[in-house]
């Protein structure tokens, strides 16, 4: 009888041993986590102490691995000339900056306005830091005090003084309307 109780007790003890459960481990891709993140940010682009542009954005995320900065929640960039006078303002809902080249891409409801009343509307464009040009291969509408031009693809200096539309689809001059 004692032997039976001992065997029964051993069986209960072995049966009650908890099974070791490994915890679930979620893998995190480090490339998807920003190295820096900030809200209501202001970034000043300068060269030799001269302000070239000031960027404001609602949300900024810097990714070290891909060397890019993502911008969202409405961006605004003010561009300045050599005398540090604001000449142009760019607004968009989203954008990104290539940290190596300092090129800026703007996406979604992009509007660029200069100090003489020229307005560019498009869905996507890029500001090239190297030559300070604004370019796009998308549909664009440029309205000035003298004309409205629509087309596909354009290039302009950042002050919108000299621009080219590559595939013009529509032109109207103000003097022809009056």
């Amino acid at each position: 009888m004692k032997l039976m109780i001992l065997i029964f007790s051993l069986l209960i003890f072995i049966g009650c041993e908890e099974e070791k459960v490994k915890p679930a481990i979620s893998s995190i891709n480090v490339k998807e986590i920003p190295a820096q993140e900030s809200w209501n940010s202001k970034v000043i682009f300068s060269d030799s102490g001269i302000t070239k542009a000031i960027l404001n954005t609602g949300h900024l995320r810097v990714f070290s691995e891909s060397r890019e900065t993502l911008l969202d929640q409405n961006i605004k960039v003010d561009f300045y000339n050599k005398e540090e006078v604001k000449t142009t303002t760019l607004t968009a809902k989203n954008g990104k900056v290539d940290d190596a080249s300092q090129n800026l891409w703007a996406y979604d409801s992009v509007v660029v306005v200069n100090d003489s009343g020229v307005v560019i509307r498009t869905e996507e464009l890029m500001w090239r830091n190297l030559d300070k040009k604004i370019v796009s291969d998308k549909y664009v509408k440029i309205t000035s005090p003298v004309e409205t031009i629509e087309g596909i693809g354009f290039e302009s200096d950042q002050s919108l003084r000299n621009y080219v539309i590559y595939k013009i689809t529509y032109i109207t001059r103000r003097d022809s309307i009056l």
Side-chain angles (χ1 to χ4, degrees):
M1 182 72 154
K2 288 183 179 181
L3 182 63
M4 194 105 136
I5 293 175
L6 180 64
I7 292 174
F8 185 70
S9 296
L10 281 173
L11 287 175
I12 290 177
F13 179 72
I14 292 172
C16 291
E17 184 177 310
E18 288 186 35
E19 182 180 329
K20 295 184 180 181
V21 178
K22 292 184 180 180
I25 300 173
S26 60
S27 63
I28 297 174
N29 187 350
V30 176
K31 293 178 183 179
E32 295 175 7
I33 298 174
Q36 299 176 30
E37 187 170 21
S38 66
W39 287 263
N40 300 318
S41 302
K42 180 178 188 176
V43 179
I44 299 173
F45 297 88
S46 63
D47 184 15
S48 301
I50 298 172
T51 300
K52 300 294 184 182
I54 297 176
L55 174 125
N56 292 284
T57 185
H59 186 213
L60 177 143
R61 292 172 287 152
V62 177
F63 293 87
S64 298
E65 186 80 21
S66 61
R67 297 193 67 195
E68 71 180 2
T69 300
L70 299 183
L71 314 163
D72 53 42
Q73 297 181 6
N74 298 319
I75 64 172
K76 177 184 174 190
V77 183
D78 292 321
F79 294 100
Y80 295 83
N81 64 15
K82 292 176 185 175
E83 291 77 36
E84 295 188 271
V85 174
K86 183 170 75 169
T87 59
T88 313
T89 300
L90 178 150
T91 58
K93 289 186 179 176
N94 302 296
K96 74 175 181 177
V97 176
D98 179 312
D99 295 335
S101 67
Q102 292 297 301
N103 291 338
L104 166 76
W105 283 264
Y107 309 103
D108 198 2
S109 305
V110 181
V111 178
V112 186
V113 180
N114 78 356
D115 55 358
S116 63
V118 175
V119 179
I120 296 177
R121 296 180 189 283
T122 186
E123 284 303 306
E124 180 180 318
L125 62 74
M126 178 182 71
W127 173 73
R128 280 192 312 239
N129 181 46
L130 182 64
D131 58 2
K132 310 299 186 254
K133 298 272 185 172
I134 299 172
V135 297
S136 179
D137 60 357
K138 306 296 183 197
Y139 166 82
V140 63
K141 180 178 182 178
I142 300 179
T143 306
S144 75
V146 296
E147 65 188 359
T148 298
I149 306 173
E150 296 178 23
I152 308 296
F154 84 103
E155 182 174 321
S156 175
D157 59 342
Q158 75 180 23
S159 62
L160 307 182
R161 304 270 187 251
N162 302 297
Y163 51 84
V164 175
I165 296 181
Y166 297 116
K167 295 179 187 171
I168 295 174
T169 58
Y170 175 81
I171 298 177
T172 186
R173 296 196 51 84
R174 300 282 181 251
D175 58 351
S176 64
I177 295 174
L178 299 175

